[in-house]
Amino acid sequence: MLDQLTHSPHFYHYLYLAVAFLAAFNILEVLFLLVHKTRMERNEIRKEALKRRVSTAIVTVTDPAEILPEPSDYVEYAAYSEAISSVLESFEGELAQRASGLVRKLGIDSYYRSMARDAVWYKRASAIDTLSAFRLPHNREFFLAVFRSEASADVRYRIVFGLSLLARGSEDIVAISKALSSLPYLTAKYTEDIFFNIITALKLAGKEEDFGKFLTAIMNDASIRPLIKRDCIAACHAAACERAATVVKRYFLTFKHEPEILIACVRSLVRMGNFDVIHEALFHPDWRVRLTGLKYAHLSKDDLLKDLKRLLHDSNYHIRVNAGQALARLGAPGAQALREAAGADDKFAAEAAAYALTLAEAAR
Amino acid sequence: MNHHIIWAAFAIQHVIFGYFLLINTTYTLLILLALKDILKHSYLSTARSTRRLLVADSYYKPVSVVVPAYNEGPVIVQSVRSLLNLHYPEFEILVISDGSTDDTIETLKKEFRLQESKKPVRLQVPHAPIRAIYVSADYENLIVVDKENGGKADAINAGINVSSYPIFCSIDADSLLEPDALIKSSKLFIEDDELIATGGIVRILNGCTVKDGSVLEIGMPHSTLEAIQVLEYTRAFLSGRTGWNILKSLLIISGAFGVFRKDMVVAINGYRKTVGEDMDLVMRLHRHCKDNKIPYKILFVPDPVCWTQAPFSLKMLLKQRNRWHRGLIDCLITNRKLILNPKYGAVSLLGTSYFVFVEALGPVIELMGYLSIPVLYFWGLLNTKFLLLLVVVAILWGISINIATIFLDTYNYRRYKKNSDILRLCLLAVVEFFGYRQLTLLERVKATFSFRSTQWGAQKRQSIQADAQKSGS
């Protein structure tokens, strides 16, 4: 093959051409690299200056749109949107209203709405992220419309996230849950995040009890995956949705064979000040439920000394170690039990007790 | 006899030509894929999402940071201080002294007021016996394990057993993590349940200014030998790993900085004792998941940064490259099931094939190419014109790949801000082909024929501050 190539009259012409092309390409590459770097640096400086200007205008001027120019390119739109998002994250009331007003008056939302229809999926995703950060109620319909036509799951997840920030009541929760159900389950934290946003939005709207109603409605709905139910309860924990405490307790009593739901229930109820479930959790056959109970055992009003001593002999390593630490948190009676266990025949229990004692001493 | 030699020299020409096309086409494709990925990343990695993860206390999974250390006395305090500076809601640092014979344990005891702990250890993965476990009186999340010597893999295994959290991050003792590196890498475990391992970019610390375990100012090392490694690392991570990432064939997560799901690593019995333990672990994770039909992802993420000391002498560099190549061959032999096996999909047909035919066999092929030149010349069969043109094309093509790598780095990350540094990197993109490449090639050929050796070839350590000053002065 090589012989044929090297004997071809055009072969060396092509090789010379390749050399010339590569040499020129390398020089152009270096030039482009330097020009691009300079341009990026200038854009960064411009963006930072504009961000400062926009933030200052929102804080100091009643109608910032009057003194701020309309953004003209991607860098300026990015500067405006970052400054506005930052204000919306940090302030409520009049300042937040001014920032939101700026989005509409300067056509920033229109720009990102058109970008949300771009052919490249990650540009659409970025646009949806930005629009979500604005938390503009009128974007709700836009999000729902885009969701219906969107092909990329990556973008659809982001749209649902954006919708969750705009929830106003029961109808929205149902719409978001439907949208969520139409997508493959992503992660526990994503779903929890969605419901966390919903609860936060409902709390702001004074409709926190709507979430409790939603939890009741889905409790026996077999079409909703247990994982989703668990994430809803985990969101109650994260967002401290206290009005849902009664429903969460009902979940705890109903889903005896769903350890994941039980763990979420224990964590949520404890955060809401309901410690009744801790004792029962310590007896659950699934070690993860027992472990969750142990984490909060010191808060229980029941006398758990005997149960914790028993758990020092548990077959699971994590339970033994955490039972020791739970005993240490009980104060003098717990410490006494640990000293006794540290000298016991059960090597594993003795190790767990000795470790808990050293930790307690170090903490002192 | 002569006839055979000439025939072999002719045959090798074809192999060399094929190898030349294969290697440069692969690198070019990887660069193009990486460019696409970095464009995507620049749109999607918004500061907003990281901030949201940091402020909401429910959005994280606790992480155990495992630091294997063997005679790391000069660097260990800086390294631990850097880790204590990490921005992360809940993490523990486990320094595993692997039978150090220097003052590593004494230094740590003094600096962090260590007290002996009786923490029970579960033997989930095998390792040499633990002598003692210490906990810092000043930082309750700092644990030091003193164990008998067993090698790096053995030390990490001990760390896995002592660790308390479901995710662990393994990091070299001579490396520094940027404060947000852990949150940037571990947030992926929250965003994707299928993720089992991830790694960030490893950059060269030489030439940077370091204070209290943090990189204050980023700079290029003055020594050419160290500076070329900046280029090499950037190329390996930003074009190589990003490209393999897209092809779902990532076979290495650097031992200097990797984050793993503990249950998966325990399922494959932890790290295996080899000089290429990082690659071996990832290859076995691929095999385990594919064999058991477990949906999984192993990803490289380019923005969490780990700064590491690069060898500052030629002797150390060659030792390191020898070890890497021995590790590579050992991993490929141990995981030979992955070679050209359609059952393992792209991991086998793309990733492993590349490592076998380009990385493992490449040095020998390249050396044979160099050796065939005098043979062909001696028998008057050398086509000098063709040879020279081919060499020029190969070098120019290689340079363009190097410059494209610098562009990738400058496009999104811009760690090296000075134009003089960028121009120096461009110059090094040329210099690399004259001497440096041939020296490392010879060492890799040597390693090919001594791959059964399990010697680590311990590197000399300098205090991180001293090293930075030395390279930067």
Side-chain angles (χ1 to χ4, degrees):
Chain A
M1 181 191 78
L2 269 178
D3 281 348
Q4 282 175 339
L5 273 178
T6 50
H7 285 99
S8 150
H10 301 298
F11 179 65
Y12 287 100
H13 289 139
Y14 290 133
L15 266 185
Y16 283 123
L17 266 178
V19 170
F21 168 76
L22 284 167
F25 182 74
N26 284 343
I27 293 166
L28 286 174
E29 226 182 348
V30 175
L31 288 175
F32 178 72
L33 172 66
L34 291 173
V35 170
H36 184 266
K37 179 175 173 281
T38 312
R39 219 186 74 194
M40 294 282 277
E41 282 166 356
R42 276 192 198 151
N43 279 343
E44 219 158 69
I45 294 167
R46 191 158 63 99
K47 188 174 157 187
E48 285 309 311
L50 193 55
K51 266 171 77 175
R52 273 198 302 277
R53 194 175 157 196
V54 173
S55 305
T56 312
I58 294 171
V59 174
T60 54
V61 182
T62 320
D63 188 2
E66 282 181 1
I67 60 156
L68 289 170
E70 270 193 34
S72 59
D73 60 13
Y74 177 75
V75 176
E76 290 186 5
Y77 277 106
Y80 271 82
S81 65
E82 282 178 27
I84 291 167
S85 310
S86 189
V87 170
L88 288 170
E89 265 173 32
S90 315
F91 301 99
E92 286 174 9
E94 198 191 332
L95 283 183
Q97 275 176 5
R98 275 187 215 168
S100 302
L102 205 53
V103 173
R104 281 193 304 273
K105 284 178 190 168
L106 297 183
I108 298 168
D109 58 343
S110 310
Y111 174 81
Y112 284 105
R113 279 181 179 209
S114 76
M115 193 171 152
R117 307 236 185 235
D118 196 281
V120 182
W121 78 264
Y122 51 79
K123 289 189 181 176
R124 298 200 299 275
S126 173
I128 294 290
D129 277 352
T130 309
L131 286 170
S132 300
F134 295 152
R135 299 171 194 227
L136 296 174
H138 70 263
N139 274 339
R140 184 181 171 278
E141 302 312 318
F142 173 74
F143 281 152
L144 286 170
V146 175
F147 186 83
R148 282 189 284 272
S149 59
E150 179 59 57
S152 159
D154 289 294
V155 183
R156 297 181 100 200
Y157 285 119
R158 285 174 157 81
I159 298 172
V160 175
F161 184 87
L163 279 168
S164 72
L165 292 164
L166 304 174
R168 286 174 304 198
S170 306
E171 278 179 25
D172 286 342
I173 310 177
V174 173
I176 293 166
S177 304
K178 275 185 186 166
L180 202 56
S181 304
S182 68
L183 291 165
Y185 185 79
L186 189 62
T187 68
K189 287 296 174 192
Y190 170 78
T191 321
E192 185 185 320
D193 208 351
I194 296 291
F195 288 106
F196 174 90
N197 290 340
I198 291 174
I199 296 170
T200 311
L202 290 177
K203 274 181 157 182
L204 279 173
K207 292 181 176 175
E208 191 182 336
E209 65 280 358
D210 279 13
F211 197 73
K213 286 179 199 162
F214 167 72
L215 277 181
T216 309
I218 63 166
M219 191 156 81
N220 296 314
D221 186 342
S223 67
I224 306 280
R225 279 174 280 203
L227 285 178
I228 304 271
K229 292 174 186 169
R230 174 202 62 187
D231 298 338
C232 288
I233 294 163
C236 282
H237 164 77
C241 182
E242 289 171 12
R243 303 231 175 126
T246 320
V247 192
V248 175
K249 183 77 186 281
R250 285 221 305 275
Y251 269 74
F252 181 82
L253 297 171
T254 309
F255 293 93
K256 294 283 180 202
H257 302 295
E258 294 285 356
E260 303 259 3
I261 292 181
L262 291 179
I263 291 165
C265 288
V266 174
R267 292 181 68 207
S268 293
L269 288 166
V270 167
R271 178 147 190 191
M272 294 168 197
N274 184 336
F275 308 122
D276 301 347
V277 291
I278 295 171
H279 189 234
E280 199 176 332
L282 295 179
F283 287 89
H284 198 273
D286 190 294
W287 71 270
R288 292 168 300 166
V289 183
R290 296 203 296 281
L291 182 66
T292 314
L294 283 171
K295 296 271 183 201
Y296 304 110
H298 59 291
L299 299 171
S300 175
K301 287 167 192 143
D302 303 318
D303 179 12
L304 300 181
L305 191 67
K306 205 173 127 192
D307 300 310
L308 294 181
K309 280 163 76 177
R310 175 182 58 82
L311 288 171
L312 270 178
H313 302 273
D314 198 282
S315 58
N316 184 286
Y317 165 87
H318 295 287
I319 298 298
R320 292 193 301 274
V321 169
N322 280 280
Q325 290 176 38
L327 277 166
R329 284 193 287 266
L330 289 186
Q336 178 57 31
L338 284 173
R339 278 191 288 275
E340 283 167 19
D345 293 337
D346 182 344
K347 184 189 158 211
F348 295 117
E351 276 182 358
Y355 175 54
L357 283 169
T358 57
L359 282 182
E361 274 168 33
R364 269 202 298 275
Chain B
M1 178 65 184
N2 287 352
H3 173 77
H4 285 109
I5 294 173
I6 295 167
W7 184 87
F10 264 121
I12 205 74
Q13 281 188 93
H14 289 83
V15 177
I16 295 285
F17 191 66
Y19 170 72
F20 154 78
L21 288 177
L22 175 72
I23 193 168
N24 284 301
T25 311
T26 310
Y27 285 145
T28 307
L29 286 174
L30 288 175
I31 283 272
L32 292 173
L33 288 171
L35 184 64
K36 193 178 165 226
D37 193 63
I38 281 173
L39 269 172
K40 181 186 88 180
H41 197 77
S42 71
Y43 272 94
L44 297 181
S45 66
T46 55
R48 262 196 311 283
S49 57
T50 309
R51 195 160 61 236
R52 185 162 53 81
L53 282 161
L54 271 171
V55 293
D57 68 351
S58 56
Y59 297 110
Y60 70 90
K61 283 183 181 175
V63 178
S64 304
V65 181
V66 179
V67 190
Y70 176 71
N71 290 349
E72 303 281 1
V75 295
I76 197 67
V77 172
Q78 284 278 15
S79 181
V80 171
R81 290 225 176 277
S82 148
L83 294 172
L84 288 166
N85 284 339
L86 286 172
H87 295 169
Y88 203 76
E90 193 179 354
F91 69 103
E92 61 179 0
I93 300 162
L94 295 134
V95 180
I96 319 295
S97 172
D98 187 37
S100 295
T101 50
D102 70 347
D103 59 349
T104 302
I105 286 284
E106 290 313 311
T107 309
L108 287 168
K109 272 185 184 173
K110 196 175 141 198
E111 195 69 29
F112 299 105
R113 294 204 301 135
L114 299 182
Q115 294 172 343
E116 196 158 352
S117 161
K118 292 178 179 167
K119 182 172 185 178
V121 178
R122 223 169 22 141
L123 197 68
Q124 300 176 92
V125 287
H127 59 79
I130 289 174
R131 294 175 187 148
I133 299 176
Y134 304 93
V135 179
S136 165
D138 298 329
Y139 306 95
E140 60 176 14
N141 62 338
L142 173 60
I143 298 165
V144 174
V145 178
D146 184 13
K147 67 177 276 291
E148 287 173 16
N149 183 262
K152 186 180 174 185
D154 195 77
I156 304 177
N157 279 350
I160 291 171
N161 283 343
V162 178
S163 67
S164 312
Y165 298 138
I167 294 171
F168 78 90
C169 165
S170 128
I171 169 175
D172 280 353
D174 61 340
S175 304
L176 303 177
L177 282 186
E178 285 199 348
D180 58 0
L182 198 57
I183 196 137
K184 280 181 175 169
S185 48
S186 58
K187 77 171 182 152
L188 301 172
F189 288 91
I190 294 165
E191 291 171 354
D192 195 334
D193 281 346
E194 289 182 0
L195 185 71
I196 60 167
T198 184
I201 187 166
V202 178
R203 290 179 182 273
I204 302 287
L205 186 62
N206 310 38
C208 300
T209 311
V210 181
K211 196 182 173 197
D212 294 332
S214 299
V215 177
L216 289 187
E217 199 184 325
I218 296 163
M220 285 280 289
H222 278 205
S223 133
T224 303
L225 186 76
E226 293 164 70
I228 288 184
Q229 293 175 71
V230 172
L231 180 69
E232 268 191 310
Y233 271 61
T234 311
R235 185 178 58 217
F237 281 89
L238 283 186
S239 73
R241 295 196 190 169
T242 310
W244 291 118
N245 215 15
I246 299 167
L247 296 169
K248 298 187 171 124
S249 312
L250 189 66
L251 290 191
I252 307 184
I253 285 177
S254 170
F257 176 37
V259 189
F260 302 89
R261 229 172 74 185
K262 192 161 84 179
D263 60 336
M264 295 304 291
V265 176
V266 169
I268 58 165
N269 209 25
Y271 283 77
R272 185 175 67 87
K273 279 189 196 179
T274 163
V275 286
E277 81 297 327
D278 45 1
M279 184 176 187
D280 178 74
L281 182 86
V282 177
M283 291 182 91
R284 285 189 297 121
L285 281 172
H286 276 296
R287 275 172 54 196
H288 174 75
C289 293
K290 296 266 183 194
D291 287 343
N292 296 289
K293 297 189 170 49
I294 300 167
Y296 75 104
K297 280 182 192 144
I298 295 176
L299 295 176
F300 164 74
V301 265
D303 48 356
V305 179
C306 170
W307 296 92
T308 195
Q309 276 189 343
F312 44 83
S313 73
L314 184 63
K315 195 178 162 193
M316 281 165 62
L317 175 80
L318 296 180
K319 248 186 201 177
Q320 184 198 52
R321 297 308 153 98
N322 189 302
R323 189 181 74 236
W324 284 2
H325 203 70
R326 275 186 284 126
L328 167 71
I329 296 174
D330 180 62
C331 290
L332 291 172
I333 291 174
T334 308
N335 296 285
R336 55 189 174 276
K337 266 189 173 179
L338 282 176
I339 300 173
L340 296 176
N341 189 342
K343 176 184 162 190
Y344 296 101
V347 174
S348 162
L349 302 176
L350 296 176
T352 314
S353 297
Y354 166 81
F355 278 99
V356 172
F357 298 111
V358 175
E359 292 289 341
L361 297 177
V364 176
I365 295 172
E366 212 171 315
L367 183 73
M368 284 198 296
Y370 288 124
L371 294 177
S372 69
I373 296 171
V375 173
L376 290 169
Y377 179 77
F378 183 77
W379 268 281
L381 297 166
L382 188 69
N383 182 339
T384 318
K385 188 179 171 187
F386 174 64
L387 172 76
L388 285 175
L389 280 170
L390 188 70
V391 168
V392 172
V393 169
I395 291 174
L396 287 174
W397 197 346
I399 293 169
S400 71
I401 289 167
N402 279 345
I403 298 172
T405 302
I406 304 166
F407 174 73
L408 282 181
D409 197 22
T410 325
Y411 182 83
N412 226 10
Y413 309 107
R414 293 199 297 288
R415 295 283 164 173
Y416 298 97
K417 296 202 187 299
K418 292 181 200 160
N419 280 342
S420 57
D421 283 346
I422 301 293
L423 283 171
R424 186 155 172 240
L425 279 170
C426 291
L427 184 67
L428 291 168
V430 181
V431 172
E432 192 199 3
F433 291 94
F434 303 96
Y436 182 87
R437 188 182 168 97
Q438 289 74 18
L439 280 171
T440 50
L441 172 90
L442 279 176
E443 197 58 39
R444 287 161 74 197
V445 173
K446 266 166 70 183
T448 307
F449 297 104
S450 60
F451 76 91
R452 288 200 187 278
S453 161
T454 52
Q455 282 211 326
W456 188 262
Q459 299 282 339
K460 270 186 198 163
R461 291 281 182 252
Q462 283 189 318
S463 128
I464 288 172
Q465 219 124 358
D467 179 56
Q469 280 163 5
K470 175 186 164 284
S471 305
S473 61

